[in-house]
Amino acid sequence: MEAFLEQINELNELQKDLVSIHPLFAEHYPVVVAYEALLYIYDYSSKTQQYEWVKTVPDDFPDECLAAMPVHHMDGRMCAIVTDAVFKDLEQKVYLFHEYVHCYVYEKYDERIVGRLQIKHKMDQLKRVTWELDYEFPYEDEIVVERINSLLSALKSKDLIQVHTARKALFTSLNEEQAEYWSWLEWNEGYARYIENLIRAKFGQESNHMGDTAPFNRLMFYECGSEYIALLVKQHPEYHTDLEQLFDRMQVERIQG
């Protein structure tokens, strides 16, 4: 659809201003728009320095999909998957840039970090491809909920000593697999939310803090991760771009116990 192509190229112009936030925005990734049972697929051309329509195929993604994942229609390349809702206003457009962060992380760090996770190897053996979305994390366990609330309070205080204490307490209430799941989601989704909020600040929008109150779900990882990363980056500016070093630092409380 020409309307989608025009909107994507408008976002491409906007993206140029985001390189000042992070060099990842100098990169470009295919965009897949799910609309009325079809997928409209666009890719960036280095020749024209714009996006171009590639193909339109039947939709085989879940409804209201907003994600970054390898797409078999693009030979397994990492793509940003969105619906037409992402083009409604600037508030929604930021979510596409959030997915670009995931594309960047997947391409640069997937093997170096995800390959270390025992939970990933286990889920691959079980052929649970959606484990990142539907893992049975104890969101409603009373002790876990209490310790997540303590961590969120510590993060709001911006006192790293309190944060470290709260994180250690939280990890003692999780088994090894649950703690590893936390580490992955906190880093992966937290970093994307962290960058998203830097973009929001640049555009004069309110920060996104969805997930900061019970009942908890996956959005809690976004919030805890982004707030913790923001604190760590203030102390260690190199973490802003060195995501492997950041990942290792974020695991300290879990590994040391």
Side-chain angles (χ1 to χ4, degrees):
M1 272 195 173
E2 288 298 323
F4 294 151
L5 182 58
E6 182 180 345
Q7 294 272 20
I8 292 168
N9 276 319
E10 287 178 5
L11 281 168
N12 184 40
E13 288 300 309
L14 199 60
Q15 183 178 334
K16 295 175 182 178
D17 292 335
L18 303 183
V19 178
S20 61
I21 290 177
H22 198 291
L24 76 87
F25 290 110
E27 305 294 330
H28 298 84
Y29 303 94
V31 177
V32 179
V33 183
Y35 182 74
E36 294 187 348
L38 293 172
L39 298 177
Y40 296 86
I41 302 176
Y42 306 88
D43 198 6
Y44 182 78
S45 168
S46 58
K47 183 181 295 185
T48 63
Q49 297 189 347
Q50 288 193 317
Y51 277 84
E52 299 176 351
W53 173 82
V54 176
K55 65 179 79 172
T56 301
V57 297
D59 187 352
D60 51 4
F61 287 109
D63 292 341
E64 303 303 317
C65 189
L66 181 64
M69 66 182 72
V71 174
H72 64 89
H73 300 295
M74 292 293 284
D75 298 322
R77 288 177 62 196
M78 198 68 173
C79 301
I81 320 295
V82 299
T83 67
D84 64 320
V86 81
F87 304 120
K88 286 183 178 177
D89 52 42
L90 186 58
E91 171 81 14
Q92 295 298 315
K93 291 173 182 177
V94 172
Y95 290 124
L96 177 58
F97 295 130
H98 176 116
E99 299 308 328
Y100 283 171
V101 178
H102 285 307
C103 289
Y104 169 82
V105 169
Y106 179 89
E107 288 197 350
K108 189 167 183 178
Y109 294 98
D110 183 56
E111 291 185 4
R112 289 156 57 183
I113 292 180
V114 187
R116 299 192 220 165
L117 303 178
Q118 292 303 310
I119 187 173
K120 173 66 163 60
H121 296 302
K122 176 182 176 180
M123 295 304 169
D124 283 349
Q125 291 175 349
L126 296 174
K127 300 188 184 304
R128 279 189 59 177
V129 297
T130 60
W131 67 272
E132 293 181 68
L133 300 175
D134 56 23
Y135 178 73
E136 299 82 3
F137 189 83
Y139 296 108
E140 298 179 0
D141 181 279
E142 289 185 7
I143 294 176
V144 174
V145 169
E146 177 186 341
R147 291 182 177 174
I148 292 172
N149 279 322
S150 295
L151 174 57
L152 286 164
S153 294
L155 287 166
K156 289 176 182 176
S157 77
K158 302 189 183 302
D159 184 327
L160 272 173
I161 294 176
Q162 289 186 41
V163 172
H164 296 162
T165 300
R167 280 168 55 79
K168 286 182 179 180
L170 171 63
F171 285 127
T172 63
S173 66
L174 303 174
N175 64 35
E176 186 174 348
E177 184 176 279
Q178 292 164 350
E180 193 175 47
Y181 181 75
W182 177 288
S183 288
W184 167 245
L185 266 290
E186 179 189 43
W187 173 81
N188 187 36
E189 296 295 355
Y191 190 77
R193 170 74 70 82
Y194 159 73
I195 296 294
E196 174 191 327
N197 280 337
L198 292 179
I199 296 171
R200 289 175 177 275
K202 183 178 181 66
F203 292 158
Q205 298 176 330
E206 289 187 6
S207 295
N208 183 355
H209 292 290
M210 290 180 65
D212 65 347
T213 55
F216 294 119
N217 54 36
R218 284 182 79 256
L219 291 176
M220 167 265 299
F221 295 107
Y222 296 54
E223 177 64 8
C224 290
S226 63
E227 293 297 287
Y228 188 36
I229 289 169
L231 290 177
L232 289 176
V233 169
K234 283 184 179 179
Q235 190 177 65
H236 301 280
E238 65 274 17
Y239 292 167
H240 180 69
T241 52
D242 190 339
L243 276 73
E244 188 167 15
Q245 189 177 353
L246 173 65
F247 181 78
D248 291 341
R249 176 62 188 80
M250 293 177 74
Q251 290 196 97
V252 168
E253 287 85 15
R254 177 175 75 84
I255 294 171
Q256 291 183 347

